[in-house]
């Protein structure tokens, strides 16, 4: 595909240097539908990025768009703070009946603000309020958001440095596989908790991702997650699962922790919960933890009613037909796994490993600079993929759950070509 260099001058002169994705994808995107994005010149790009996981049902999903347009055309409430509205009621009823009750999850629902880090901040604040302790344990290579509390439990040194102040009250522990299986799971953590001289303040909570997306697609084993849940229970610590990127069906089940058979005390959800890419987040917690005073945590944009409309439509469209959505995602994941296995065999020694669950996968290269080159070449070939990991050494695949097998195959073939052409 021949791409004409677009006029990016207004972005380069007026917009902050902090912009990032646009540097790797120097195009001016104009419209999008399903798993395709189109630039102003009409070039088509197959999207294996899906709004960083915010578009599990694709761009401008027809069913969700119809629900949104109908709501706006009847002058439905758009901005509602935490007022009771018909749109919020419809979402809460759908979420309770379609998601929580069938899974026997007892959670209360909090609307903390428009984005994932709002949910994480509220989870950390609540855990500290409930337990009366400040310390939070997180894990190596974790990513939980860009506001100060979330950064304090994030592992990436570059992201943490952007805070400009010391990030306190967070202690990192080794994530699953971090020590290559040479040390018993949680041996260090347990020892610190037991030892009065360890310097570890008794934590209020532990926060964990079941699959670390930004950290390099590091997948926690179900038995590791179960052991962590047991440790939290024994040591009087709350377990917070950050399901912001891996929830809403990304790994197969609606919640990524379902496979492990655990029930976290607190769960954070955002990204694809609105279904349409609109700002929305949830903090879910067990009823006995709901000790908030009215207005103790609030935010102007926590009541995004159009997002409630598309969220309810997404649940009713994709999650009422038993396990159909989960089975489809796992089937697509098997398709990706087989293609990545063939890619590894084609390039012996070049690929450290590939790993993932459902429709989130990562390919780690021996040459840590290669992932970036592969992503750049993929863009030139009409495929949008990003990198992840502490040194951007992993190519990250995050297609929409609604992608067709044919589109998935096309993208995987393009990826294989990009790998070949960056050897």
């Amino acid at each position: 595909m021949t791409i004409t260099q677009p006029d990016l001058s207004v972005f380069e002169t007026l917009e902050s240097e902090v912009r990032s994705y646009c540097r790797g994808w120097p195009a001016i995107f104009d419209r999008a539908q399903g798993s395709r994005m189109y630039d102003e010149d009409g070039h088509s790009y197959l999207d294996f990025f899906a709004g960083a996981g915010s578009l599990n049902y694709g761009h401008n999903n027809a069913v969700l768009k119809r629900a949104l347009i109908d709501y706006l055309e009847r002058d439905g409430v758009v901005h509602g703070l935490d007022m009771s509205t018909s749109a919020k009621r419809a979402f809460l009823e759908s979420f309770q009946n379609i998601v929580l009750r069938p899974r026997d999850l007892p959670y209360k629902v909090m609307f903390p603000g428009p984005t994932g880090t709002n949910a994480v901040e509220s989870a950390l604040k609540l855990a500290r309020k409930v337990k009366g302790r400040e310390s939070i344990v997180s894990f190596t290579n974790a990513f939980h958001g860009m506001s100060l509390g979330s950064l304090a439990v994030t592992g990436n040194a570059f992201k943490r440095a952007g805070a400009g102040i010391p990030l306190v009250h967070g202690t990192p522990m080794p994530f699953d596989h971090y020590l290559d299986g040479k040390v018993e799971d949680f041996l260090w953590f347990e020892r610190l908790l037991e030892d009065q001289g360890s310097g570890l303040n008794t934590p209020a909570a532990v926060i964990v991702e079941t699959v670390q997306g930004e950290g390099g697609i590091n997948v926690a084993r179900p038995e590791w997650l179960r052991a962590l849940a047991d440790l939290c229970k024994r040591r009087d610590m709350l377990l917070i699962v950050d399901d912001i990127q891996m929830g809403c069906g990304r790994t197969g089940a609606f919640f990524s922790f379902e496979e492990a058979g655990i029930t976290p005390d607190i769960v954070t959800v955002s990204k694809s919960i609105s279904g349409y890419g609109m700002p929305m987040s949830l903090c879910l917690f067990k009823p006995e933890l709901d000790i908030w005073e009215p207005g103790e945590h609030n935010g102007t944009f926590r009541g995004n009613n159009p997002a409630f409309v598309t969220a309810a439509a997404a649940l009713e469209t994709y999650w009422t037909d038993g396990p159909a959505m989960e089975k489809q995602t796992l089937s697509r994941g098997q398709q990706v796994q087989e293609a990545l296995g063939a890619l590894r065999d084609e390039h012996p020694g070049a690929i450290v490993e590939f790993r993932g669950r459902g429709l989130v996968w990562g390919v780690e290269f021996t040459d840590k600079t290669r992932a970036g080159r592969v992503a750049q070449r993929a863009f030139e070939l009409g495929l949008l993929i990003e990198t992840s990991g502490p040194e951007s050494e992993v190519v990250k695949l995050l297609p929409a759950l609604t992608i067709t097998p044919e589109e998935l195959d096309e993208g995987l073939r393009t990826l294989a070509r990009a790998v070949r052409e960056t050897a």
Side-chain angles (χ1 to χ4, degrees), residues 25-107:
W25 301 329
I28 299 178
F29 295 102
D30 182 54
R31 56 191 185 87
Q33 206 286 316
S35 289
R36 305 272 180 185
M37 297 189 73
Y38 302 88
D39 67 19
E40 287 187 323
D41 294 326
H43 296 120
S44 172
Y45 301 83
L46 187 57
D47 187 2
F48 270 30
F49 175 63
S54 296
L55 296 163
N56 280 5
Y57 312 107
H59 293 271
N60 287 303
N61 182 287
V63 176
L64 310 189
K65 179 166 63 175
R66 186 71 263 160
L68 176 60
I69 290 172
D70 288 347
Y71 182 76
L72 295 175
E73 284 187 336
R74 73 168 184 81
D75 292 332
V77 172
V78 170
H79 184 274
L81 292 155
D82 70 355
M83 291 182 282
S84 300
T85 65
S86 57
K88 185 197 281 189
R89 179 180 60 201
F91 168 71
L92 285 170
E93 289 174 348
S94 294
F95 192 68
Q96 182 178 49
N97 294 330
I98 298 171
V99 176
L100 297 181
R101 279 181 177 159
R103 293 163 179 80
D104 198 25
L105 294 173
Y107 299 131

Side-chain angles (χ1 to χ4, degrees), residues 108-261:
K108 298 289 288 291
V109 179
M110 176 182 178
F111 298 99
T115 192
T117 198
N118 299 122
V120 171
E121 294 285 356
S122 65
L124 300 179
K125 185 189 290 188
L126 180 61
R128 288 168 169 142
K129 180 178 173 66
V130 168
K131 292 299 182 184
R133 310 176 203 137
E134 296 176 353
S135 178
I136 303 289
V137 165
S138 57
F139 290 94
T140 50
N141 291 314
F143 180 80
H144 295 290
M146 298 299 290
S147 50
L148 292 179
S150 301
L151 274 179
V153 291
T154 286
N156 187 287
F158 174 73
K159 298 290 200 306
R160 290 174 63 88
I165 62 170
L167 296 170
V168 296
H169 309 307
T171 303
M173 292 291 166
F175 191 70
D176 195 13
H177 304 299
Y178 187 75
L179 299 173
D180 298 323
K182 297 175 183 176
V183 177
E184 180 184 340
D185 293 340
F186 307 113
L187 177 66
W188 175 240
F189 194 178
E190 290 258 28
R191 183 66 180 270
L192 291 180
L193 290 169
E194 292 168 355
D195 187 355
Q196 295 300 306
S198 71
L200 175 65
N201 294 328
T202 303
V206 177
I207 186 168
V208 67
E209 304 155 273
T210 65
V211 180
Q212 295 182 326
E214 297 303 308
I217 317 302
N218 305 312
V219 182
R221 293 166 296 146
E223 55 267 33
W224 187 88
L225 292 168
R226 286 192 289 270
L228 176 60
D230 178 67
L231 174 60
C232 288
K233 185 175 182 180
R234 287 188 286 108
R235 295 290 182 175
D236 188 34
M237 303 177 294
L238 297 178
L239 176 61
I240 305 169
V241 168
D242 181 338
D243 228 12
I244 287 166
Q245 188 168 82
M246 298 303 153
C248 303
R250 175 56 57 182
T251 65
F254 188 86
F255 293 110
S256 69
F257 57 80
E258 291 182 52
E259 180 189 27

